[in-house]
Amino acid sequence: MRFDNLSEGSLMPLTDLALDELVDYRPESAAPLDFDTFWQHTLDDARAQGGAVKAERVTDRFRLRTVDVDDVRFPGWNGEPVAAWLIRPRDAEGQLPVVVTYIGYSGGRGLPTEHLLWSAAGYAQLVVDSRGQGHDTPDRTQGAGTQWSGGFMTRGIDSPENYYYRRLMTDCVRAVDAVAELPGLDADRVIVAGGSQGGGLALAVAGLLRDKVAAVMPDVPFLCHFRRAVQIAGEGPYPEIVNYLRWHSRHRVEPALGTLDYFDGVHFAQRATAPALFSVALMDPICPASTVYAAFNHYAGQDRTMTVWPFADHGGGYGSNPPAQLDWLAARGLTPGQ
């Protein structure tokens, strides 16, 4: 386990367990009996929709000189097109390892100029839009099922089949499927990564595509250990669920929590085997540390590392985190040219 200090950033009170308790925190968490069948059918149905992966070179639009940028569309949930940026070092030779990046809550893929780190280090990067959250991938099924809050946490929470994250997680899996159809990318060296919601999505993909993911890097991951998170998270998206349950406490609490069990990062972690680099912030009011450790301590792969930011809020390691990621990937031979 890595242990690093963060000297700057907003200070929050330590509201979760102490570190010596966290390292052993492994709550009982059984996935629904039909969890694997549910997800296999979901992904089979999405793939059966077909659809081509399309890429348009748009580098000149952004006046970039050292990278090439493609505006990508690939088929996601129900075959619907999902937007992504593919960013690669210009004139790179051979097949590049690719970092498939998922985005935090309420954000989209943004602009390619926001995502230049990985190409500067020699990697290709596929930046995946979040349906309904970004501007380029609408959630055409958003009317399905229950929605209580103005966000996404209760959209379709009445059943696993209707739940919003079924669609978004399917998109994220299909992004990895699309890698094999994009030129210049090494489909055997796919790294899935993201922070907060993006970290939870990366965990989901690592659990669903064990044979296609070479490494996973979930930073301060969201969507983990829902049943505890809704009880202790003081800020962020989890309170959307709390507000819903507050008004439907008589008859919808267990059905709603039962739906969330199909999308819990702990259950995906129990199935993931790729080398994993997690990070956690001990003063995080949005993704409490115990929820992150619940996923980490249930992670099935033997090669798992936790970077601890003891005085950090939800920003985690901020600018200190990418160098740690680059070092970790290099130690596992997942660098361009290797």
Side-chain angles (χ1 to χ4, degrees):
M1 179 179 68
R2 287 178 59 99
F3 189 91
D4 296 289
N5 282 302
L6 183 65
S7 59
E8 296 182 357
S10 59
L11 296 179
M12 303 291 293
L14 186 66
T15 56
D16 206 344
L17 304 175
L19 183 59
D20 59 348
E21 297 173 285
L22 290 169
V23 296
D24 295 320
Y25 184 70
R26 194 177 188 274
E28 292 186 12
S29 184
L33 293 177
D34 64 340
F35 181 93
D36 296 305
T37 301
F38 171 83
W39 277 108
Q40 189 61 59
H41 287 169
T42 296
L43 299 180
D44 286 347
D45 287 347
R47 289 168 176 145
Q49 301 299 320
V53 179
K54 301 177 182 180
E56 176 189 1
R57 184 61 49 86
V58 293
T59 309
D60 292 344
R61 187 188 306 171
F62 299 99
R63 299 184 179 275
L64 296 171
R65 296 186 179 184
T66 62
V67 300
D68 281 321
V69 179
D70 290 348
D71 188 356
V72 174
R73 295 295 186 279
F74 64 87
W77 162 265
N78 200 34
E80 297 167 5
V82 179
W85 299 119
L86 176 59
I87 308 167
R88 292 173 287 191
R90 185 167 296 182
D91 301 323
E93 297 182 356
Q95 302 290 98
L96 295 176
V98 55
V99 180
V100 179
T101 303
Y102 307 115
I103 306 300
Y105 191 76
S106 78
R109 65 174 181 164
L111 298 174
T113 46
E114 302 172 51
H115 306 284
L116 299 178
L117 168 71
W118 290 105
S119 57
Y123 294 83
Q125 183 179 19
L126 187 68
V127 184
V128 181
D129 204 30
S130 297
R131 66 167 50 233
Q133 300 183 35
H135 295 294
D136 301 319
T137 308
D139 184 20
R140 295 186 174 91
T141 322
Q142 61 182 304
T146 301
Q147 181 175 351
W148 181 258
S149 72
F152 300 89
M153 301 304 295
T154 63
R155 185 173 289 181
I157 200 171
D158 55 302
S159 74
E161 289 76 15
N162 289 336
Y163 194 46
Y164 166 79
Y165 279 98
R166 185 187 187 205
R167 303 191 290 280
L168 180 54
M169 289 176 177
T170 298
D171 292 345
C172 293
V173 167
R174 295 290 282 144
V176 174
D177 290 347
V179 165
E181 299 184 45
L182 291 166
L185 306 185
D186 188 344
D188 292 326
R189 291 192 292 168
V190 175
I191 302 147
V192 292
S196 192
Q197 175 184 259
L201 296 173
L203 265 180
V205 173
L208 293 169
L209 292 180
R210 286 177 292 183
D211 297 333
K212 293 186 178 181
V213 172
V216 55
M217 299 190 298
D219 289 316
V220 291
F222 183 49
L223 308 173
C224 295
H225 201 8
F226 279 106
R227 289 174 183 259
R228 178 169 172 82
V230 296
Q231 294 178 332
I232 67 172
E235 299 179 17
Y238 286 123
E240 294 177 24
I241 301 171
V242 175
N243 289 335
Y244 170 80
L245 297 178
R246 179 176 296 126
W247 292 103
H248 297 88
S249 58
R250 292 184 183 179
H251 55 286
R252 291 189 182 173
V253 170
E254 192 53 41
L257 294 176
T259 290
L260 297 174
D261 284 342
Y262 287 86
F263 307 93
D264 197 314
V266 173
H267 301 146
F268 293 117
Q270 290 167 340
R271 290 155 172 78
T273 56
L277 176 63
F278 285 69
S279 74
V280 65
L282 299 190
M283 295 184 177
D284 187 344
I286 295 173
C287 295
S290 60
T291 67
V292 177
Y293 267 98
F296 179 75
N297 288 331
H298 273 283
Y299 194 82
Q302 296 301 306
D303 184 355
R304 58 187 178 96
T305 304
M306 179 72 84
T307 302
V308 179
W309 307 103
F311 295 101
D313 58 13
H314 192 53
Y318 293 90
S320 299
N321 205 50
Q325 292 177 321
L326 288 165
D327 286 344
W328 183 84
L329 288 171
R332 284 149 185 82
L334 291 170
T335 55
Q338 286 190 295

